[in-house]
Amino acid sequence: EGDSYPVIVTTEKSDEIVFEKKRIVMMLAKEEDAESRHQHSRVIERQDLFDSLKKCRLKLAREANVPAYIIFNDSTLQAMCTALPATRAAFLEIPGVGTVKAEKYGNVFIECIRQYMAETAKSGESSAAWQ
């Protein structure tokens, strides 16, 4: 309550909790679904790709003299690891990628992903997810 300086005010309910040691029941967040867990595990499997994308991002950020997250944030890089975009159109479908960033950075990140897929194919790992 309060006007320009709001303060916390106890209520009858809070007095019961504090002074009478009443129990508090709290709802927990819903457990992530199987698809979310599966997508997360795919990113972990491609940790080396994520690290490569971060290096590309850092190089571009240093050249532009901006923080790395300005280029792309980690969740966008993780989405790249999951989707493995091979074309400009597929790159544009990644959350956090717009037309300006696709134009500026798309070729660099797509090439990084291509190199990863080539190395993965050489090592005998499946490239079925490659778009």
Side-chain angles (χ1 to χ4, degrees), residues 6-119:
V7 294
I8 297 174
V9 178
T10 61
T11 64
E12 192 175 310
K13 216 37 148 174
S14 65
D15 288 344
E16 291 174 8
I17 294 166
V18 174
F19 299 114
E20 297 175 26
K21 308 272 190 233
K22 294 273 183 168
R23 290 180 53 142
I24 300 172
V25 178
M26 184 173 90
M27 301 296 288
L28 297 176
K30 181 179 173 185
E31 184 178 320
E32 65 182 333
D33 62 3
E35 178 62 23
S36 296
R37 282 194 303 273
H38 180 67
Q39 284 182 351
H40 181 67
S41 68
R42 286 188 294 193
V43 172
I44 291 171
E45 289 172 14
R46 296 186 182 129
Q47 184 64 46
D48 48 347
L49 174 57
F50 182 70
D51 293 341
S52 294
L53 294 174
K54 284 176 71 171
K55 285 179 186 173
C56 287
R57 177 181 69 181
L58 182 60
K59 181 179 182 283
L60 292 168
R62 285 183 176 158
E63 289 171 0
N65 199 27
V66 297
Y69 69 87
I70 297 296
I71 306 297
F72 290 119
N73 62 37
D74 282 355
S75 62
T76 300
L77 298 183
Q78 289 172 347
M80 289 180 203
C81 291
T82 301
L84 300 172
T87 65
R88 179 72 56 91
F91 194 72
L92 277 165
E93 292 179 18
I94 303 293
V97 175
T99 54
V100 172
K101 287 189 177 186
E103 184 66 35
K104 272 179 116 170
Y105 310 122
N107 292 338
V108 173
F109 286 92
I110 290 170
E111 182 57 32
C112 187
I113 293 167
R114 286 179 194 265
Q115 288 176 359
Y116 167 80
M117 293 308 296
E119 291 169 11

